[in-house]
Structure formats: C-alpha cells, structure tokens
Amino acid sequence: MFRAAGVITCLLLCSTFACALPLSPEERAGKQIYLTGVGQDSIQARIGIGDMLLPGTSLPCVNCHGRDGRGRPEGAVVPPDITWQRLTKPYRQRLENGRDYPPYTESSLLRAFTRGVDPGDNQLAAAMPRYSLSRTDANNLIAYIRRLEDDHDPGLEDNLLRIGTLLPADGPLAGPGRMVSGLLQQLVEQLNNRGGIHGRKLELVVRDPGPDRSTSIQALQRLVQEDQVFLILAPMAPALSEGLEELAASLAVPVIGSLISPTDHAHQKWVFQALPGLREQMLALGVYANSIPGQSAQRALVVHAADPRQQRLADLLAGRLRELGWKNVQSRSQPNAEQSAVVGQIGTVFFIGSGGELVDFAEASLQADPPPLLLASSDQVGADVLRLPQRHSDRVVLAYAFLPSDWTAPALSLLQSSVPESTGGERYLALQVNSYVSTMLLFEGLKRIGRDASREALVVSLENLHNFQTGLAPAMSFGPGRRTGALGSHMVKVDLRQQRFQPTGRYVNP
C-alpha cells in the first residue's frame, strides 16, 4: 500500500510539472548528436543536388527541427514535425505536396537520416541532409528521437515558464525581501499582461532562504527539485554568497542577478551578475587611484575585516596594484592601536568593510595631516561615510555601480510604478535598481532564445548580449568568459563639510 501510494504521488507530481524520466546514456549521446552533430564517431552530411559534403557540426538536426522536434519554418523551407508520436501515427500520411507514406519505424527513420527517403521510398526535400552515421551513433540518435518531445527542462511548459527566487521573510532582511518580492511580482505581472514571452506567461515562485547556509541550500534545492523552476532570479541569500556558482552548477540551473554579490570570482557558467559586485568595485578603485599622478609612489594599505573572503579580495587587490607598478603595498586586517603610527604614514588606503568599521578605523588610526586617500565601495559603507572626520573631506572616493545620470525617464517611471508603496521601497534604491536590471536582463535573454527554450540556450543567449541597455544602469555585455554585465564603477568624491556626494565624471573599468 505504501509503495503504491508513493507511485501515485510521483505520477501526480509528474503530471503537474510535466517531468520525465532521466535520459539514458544512449539517449544523452543521441541528444548530443541532435543538438551539435557530434557523435562517438565522425559524422558527415551531404546536402543539395550536388551532394555538398560538410561536417555534421555544420548541420545538426536542431537547426531546422528545433529543440522540441516540431520544426520551425524558415523562408520557403518548412521542416516537418519529427517527434516520435507524429512519425509513428498508425495510418498513412499525405502531405500538401502530395507525398504519401506509411508510419515510420526505426529502420525507415534510419533510411531517412542516411539516404533521404521516407517509408514510402519518396525522396525527401533537398534541404534535408543525408548523414553518414556509425551504427552506434544511429542507434543513439533514434533512441533520443523517441524521447525528444518529452525532453525539456523543468519549469518549461507550453504556456508557462516558472522562475524562482530566494527572499528573506524574517530577520533584518525581511523588509528588503518584501520590497524585492513585490517588485519582481509587479514586473512579471506587467509582462504577462502584454502577452508574456513567446506565448508563455511567467510564474514567480518565492522561497525563504532561512537563517543560515544549510537552510539556504535546502531552499535553493527545493526551488529546483520540488517547485521545478526553470531558473533563479535575483536571490537575496547572504549565506550563499560563497559557492553560489558551484551550487548552481550542481543543479544545472541558471542564476541571474544575485542580490548578494560574492567577493570571490572564478570562471562561471551558470551565474550572471548584472551589476559589478564588491570585487569589481574594489579593482576599479585601484585603477582610478593608479591614474592619479604620484599616487602609486606612496605607500598603500589594503584594509579588510577578519574574514577569509575579504582577505582573499584584499590580497587580489594588492597583487593587482603591484602589477600596475605600485612598489609598496600591504594587505592586513584592521590594525589595532599599536599600529596607528605606521598606518598614519600611508598615502592610500583601500578599505573593505562596513561604513561603521571605516569610521572607527579612521578615527583610531588615520591621524596624519594631510590624511591618506580613502577608497571604498558605496555598497559597503553607505551613508555612514558621512560620519568621517571633516579633515578627510575630498580625500574619500567611493565606487558606485550606477548613478542617476544612467537613468532614462521611461525606465525610471516603470521602476517607480512597480515598487509597492506599502514596502517602503524608497529606502532600498540600490536593491530596486539591481532587481530591475536583473529582471530586464532575464526578459531579454528569454526573448532572444525564442519559443524553443532551454537552460543551455538561455546561457548561450546571455553570453551573446552586448551593450544591452536597461535604462537604469550602464550598458551590459557578457561573453563565454565574462559573467558580470557592467564591470565598471562610477567614481564619486565625498564632501564631508557640505555632507554631499560629488561625481567625478569618471567611469572606470577594473
């Protein structure tokens, strides 16, 4: 009884989310042939009346028949539906051109692949390549054709595409979490009211990441495995700031626009950042300081909190400065009182830490006159920087991912109309903009892959975005080795006497 109940539950879940059994090794090999033209053995293709010979990679099946096998008309060429259910209908089929043939079998499908004839010995269209396939590759390709119509990524249905996000419901981030949730829901609803994307409406699934890394990982896994989401959009899960790419890779799910940017950076596939994170901002500050005449000749200190991730970032920045020609660069955690005299002789300080920590450090350790140049990320120090002693006025430079000068009136109007008034969204402008541009990035990526969607296709689509404008941030570009859209930062000086921020007009790439 228990086993039967479990089977029924599984069937109900599969019915709800249109899931399928995993592909066998043979079917996966056939899928590779279908998508790329690469098999276990060399594959060649002949096409046209002249039998032009090309590598199979030039003419994979997916080019004409689509990822779902249903075919996509292109000009005068109308590729047929090659799903197994369509091919094997138990009666003769007659096409508009008068061609008549019985149901396909595995052997007749192989003849179509290799000789270009249908089960009635009719010649197929000249646009249909004739492939040279080894017996193993042929069997694998046919095995995948049998599964083709059921092989789609989770969260992808005929009329629906399901996206997920992680947003806190409790604790200190509950307020921002509610604001982001409301904003994402509004943007999705507005898109759906315009017809969705390629005939599909979007559905947003929200889960709470919980208080720690363990609960955050569980919430992410549930979004993918239970809620069957197609991708993750703008998650706010601080505990996942380290290792997010590895988690996304283990689940083979794209993550677009994490709202908690990791400090570490490695070659990534699945995680796309719309705006620069702490790493990119600190490296941009290094390039900016290096452009100031004489600055690199002074002693520099990279100060960080006693945190392994921030220490790695500090060491990375120190190394980059040395590559730029800085001769005397040190990296250390926040100095204690005994080190104050040494710190006072420093000409440049790059600070990685909160605004409160920066103020405490400056008051305790930076007594030299004139004071050193202080550089930090606006995302970290925020308005607390205005509490610095006035002697540091015009000696503080912050990196900003965006400024009001990046905004266009239509995009700003759309953002303002999408932020629920009850969430107090005006307090979280940076999160609003980051959430908005991440969502626009997602929408554009989905539009570009067309109706024939998949997670892999979305990754490729985003990789090929160049100078994409959202109207609220600098232009974004990606590539196979680039996963941050807008790499640079605006340089802004802090006038502590007038208590205001003064853009320098410099936008610096790291």
Side-chain angles (χ1 to χ4, degrees), residues 152-169:
H152 55 77
D153 288 324
L156 188 66
E157 302 174 18
D158 283 344
N159 302 312
L160 182 71
L161 191 147
R162 191 175 298 105
I163 60 181
T165 189
L166 296 172
L167 297 171

Side-chain angles (χ1 to χ4, degrees), residues 34 36 84 92 144 166 181 191 246 376 451 462:
Y34 185 87
T36 68
W84 191 250
R92 297 186 69 87
Y144 180 65
L166 296 172
S181 178
L191 178 75
E246 289 76 10
R451 174 78 180 171
L462 294 175

Side-chain angles (χ1 to χ4, degrees), residues 182-243:
L183 172 58
L184 297 182
Q185 293 281 9
Q186 286 290 326
L187 292 173
V188 167
E189 182 178 344
Q190 292 172 21
L191 178 75
N192 288 340
N193 289 339
R194 298 193 299 269
I197 297 179
H198 299 299
R200 290 188 178 97
K201 299 293 182 69
L202 270 58
E203 176 185 308
L204 181 67
V205 181
V206 182
R207 278 192 180 267
D208 184 353
D212 54 39
R213 182 171 176 81
S214 175
T215 58
S216 298
I217 291 175
Q218 291 174 10
L220 180 63
Q221 291 172 334
R222 286 171 180 160
L223 276 174
V224 177
Q225 297 168 353
E226 296 179 18
D227 301 320
Q228 295 279 294
V229 299
F230 183 73
L231 58 90
I232 306 296
L233 172 65
M236 185 188 294
L240 297 183
S241 61
E242 186 172 19

Side-chain angles (χ1 to χ4, degrees), residues 190 407-418 436 440 470-472:
Q190 292 172 21
W407 301 347
T408 62
L412 183 60
S413 176
L414 178 56
L415 173 65
Q416 291 173 338
S417 67
S418 302
Y436 176 92
M440 295 302 107
T470 64
L472 288 183

Side-chain angles (χ1 to χ4, degrees), residues 293-309:
Q295 200 71 33
S296 62
Q298 304 178 55
R299 299 179 65 186
L301 181 65
V302 183
V303 181
H304 60 87
D307 176 277
R309 292 171 297 175

